[in-house]
Amino acid sequence: MKTRICLLYESRIRNDGAGLYLLESLKKRPEIEVIHLVPEGDIREFGTFDLNIWIDHGEDGWIKENYPCPKPNLYWVSDCHWSKEALAFRIAKAKEFDVVCCNHPHQVQWMKDGLGHDRVHWVPFAMHPQAYPYEVAAKKYDLCFIGHLITMARIERLDTMLRAFPSSFWGKKFFEKAARVYQESKICFNESVAKDLNMRNFEVMGAGGFLLTERCEGLMALFQDGVHCVMWDTIEEAVEKAKYYVAHDDEREKIAQAGYAEVMTK
């Protein structure tokens, strides 16, 4: 008999990230029957499940209504770091669950302190090879950044990088189109909201791009600076390292290939 797993998350506003990754990954497991439901209405018509996973994948995916998640259950939570209100909301929600998994390592202790138990675990983000297919491409840009301008710090840092590298790409692209830009860029720049290990780290390396990324706790636990990617602490350092690797093709491509191999292996 197959293990039945129900994934509960909002997909009408956005349908990417942890929810889609987990759904597509579990579909490949022959011993598992997985179903995705939007948390509303009566789900009892679908029967009972061996595990119910509630996925909170960001502010625009919040499910704020008081919808009960059936047990046994697991809370898969991402962005606690936006504000005190965001953390408080998620700690309150987490009290309804048997187990909690955080995508950022520094959030584990926040959850443990708020919940008063140790059933909280770090489960890093990842990338799905089908969403970010690997290809070899000629370089069109010295530098790229794909993402949203969500903080003034990001805007200022990106402004500094784009001024230093006029042959650059900035914009919003998803999946295969994003992977293509990463492959066409010498430097794939990453900046996080709060020194967090965001999905862009995995997506860039998984697509075969060269990752120049802000140093953070989770990143250093999984990857080696100068081996799988290159890390920076200040924007001035980021500019200097980008200039170096733009000019040194062999060193850059060796690191990009090592990063790709590490992500695909694990």
Side-chain angles (χ1 to χ4, degrees), residues 16-194:
D16 62 354
L20 186 59
Y21 174 83
L22 193 57
L23 177 64
E24 293 302 318
S25 297
L26 290 175
K27 281 181 179 179
K28 296 181 178 180
R29 301 282 294 271
E31 75 278 17
I32 290 175
E33 176 189 345
V34 61
I35 184 173
H36 162 231
L37 298 174
V38 174
E40 67 176 26
D42 190 345
I43 69 171
R44 287 178 293 182
E45 63 181 282
F46 298 98
T48 59
F49 295 90
D50 299 293
L51 178 62
N52 299 276
I53 304 178
W54 185 285
I55 299 173
D56 178 344
H57 57 142
E59 305 311 281
D60 51 356
W62 267 19
I63 305 161
K64 299 182 180 180
E65 293 77 14
N66 185 26
Y67 185 92
C69 183
K71 289 181 175 288
N73 57 24
L74 180 150
Y75 186 36
W76 186 295
V77 60
S78 176
D79 296 342
C80 298
H81 58 277
W82 285 94
S83 65
K84 292 181 180 179
E85 291 76 15
L87 177 59
F89 169 80
R90 290 178 167 97
I91 288 176
K93 186 65 184 176
K95 293 178 180 179
E96 304 172 18
F97 292 83
D98 303 317
V99 178
V100 178
C101 292
C102 299
N103 293 136
H104 302 295
H106 58 281
Q107 296 174 3
V108 171
Q109 193 59 51
W110 296 352
M111 278 287 175
K112 287 182 178 180
D113 292 342
L115 297 175
H117 65 69
D118 291 333
R119 298 189 304 278
V120 184
H121 307 276
W122 176 37
V123 178
F125 282 124
M127 61 81 65
H128 203 299
Q130 287 180 291
Y132 292 84
Y134 175 80
E135 293 182 6
V136 176
K139 303 301 182 187
K140 293 172 58 176
Y141 312 105
D142 285 339
L143 183 135
C144 76
F145 178 82
I146 295 176
H148 302 280
L149 301 181
I150 52 180
T151 67
M152 279 306 302
R154 174 170 291 180
I155 292 170
E156 292 170 357
R157 289 169 174 173
L158 188 57
D159 180 67
T160 297
M161 297 302 294
L162 295 181
R163 288 178 184 275
F165 300 93
S167 176
S168 298
F169 176 90
W170 168 75
K172 301 173 185 177
K173 290 185 178 293
F174 301 94
F175 306 131
E176 296 91 343
K177 292 181 180 179
R180 190 65 178 176
V181 174
Y182 293 146
Q183 293 149 5
E184 293 175 338
S185 303
K186 292 184 177 181
I187 307 294
C188 301
F189 180 69
N190 183 39
E191 185 268 358
S192 60
V193 174

Side-chain angles (χ1 to χ4, degrees), residues 216-227:
C216 69
E217 175 189 355
L219 183 72
M220 293 185 292
L222 300 178
F223 303 104
Q224 296 181 50
D225 186 12
V227 177

